[in-house]
Amino acid sequence: MEKIQQLAHGAVALEQSGDLQGALNAYMDTAQAMFSHLKEVSDSKRSAFKATLESYLGRAEELKSRIKDEAASVRPVARIIQKTIEIEEGATGFDYEVCAPLASLTLWPLSLADNVECC
């Protein structure tokens, strides 16, 4: 029983610290330990024990749902666009061709290089 109590306290502590995945794992470990111990619980305490077990499983399901929702709401921070075009010396009018793909994006500092050779 002491191990179950330690696991349960650990699950609550992890959840309070914001470690939802760790808390989910700890609640599942607690429920597994309780399920294994269920056969040893006396009949008079079994219904309360089962209720506690179900509450830990319910909490684990809530955390699982929260983790899934948070993962779905995360969007990519940035999309990198790299494009090379050749512009003849003295040519003009390329601003739309170069910048149009970026018009619908949140812009970050842009650096343009002239005659850059690599490797």
Side-chain angles (χ1 to χ4, degrees):
M1 276 303 249
E2 188 176 320
K3 178 184 176 186
I4 293 171
Q5 289 176 337
Q6 288 175 344
L7 288 169
H9 288 293
V12 172
L14 286 166
E15 185 175 1
Q16 289 175 343
S17 73
D19 182 359
L20 300 184
Q21 187 62 54
L24 170 61
N25 294 338
Y27 279 118
M28 294 302 294
D29 290 344
T30 303
Q32 180 63 43
M34 290 181 76
F35 188 74
S36 297
H37 190 70
L38 187 59
K39 297 171 191 167
E40 300 169 22
V41 176
S42 66
D43 291 340
S44 62
K45 296 180 179 180
R46 187 165 293 181
S47 69
F49 193 82
K50 280 184 179 180
T52 303
L53 170 58
E54 289 172 4
S55 73
Y56 287 131
L57 288 172
R59 191 67 197 134
E61 286 299 320
E62 288 175 22
L63 287 176
K64 188 176 180 182
S65 178
R66 262 181 72 189
I67 291 167
K68 183 180 176 184
D69 291 345
E70 287 179 10
S73 70
V74 174
R75 292 189 239 164
V77 174
R79 185 173 87 185
I80 298 173
I81 297 175
Q82 184 175 6
K83 182 178 179 180
T84 303
I85 62 170
E86 291 186 27
I87 302 174
E88 294 179 24
E89 191 170 333
T92 60
F94 284 92
D95 57 337
Y96 182 77
E97 182 182 338
V98 172
C99 296
L102 304 173
S104 65
L105 302 174
T106 302
L107 297 179
W108 296 88
L110 175 67
S111 62
L112 299 175
D114 189 20
N115 293 327
V116 175
E117 291 184 24
C118 178
C119 309

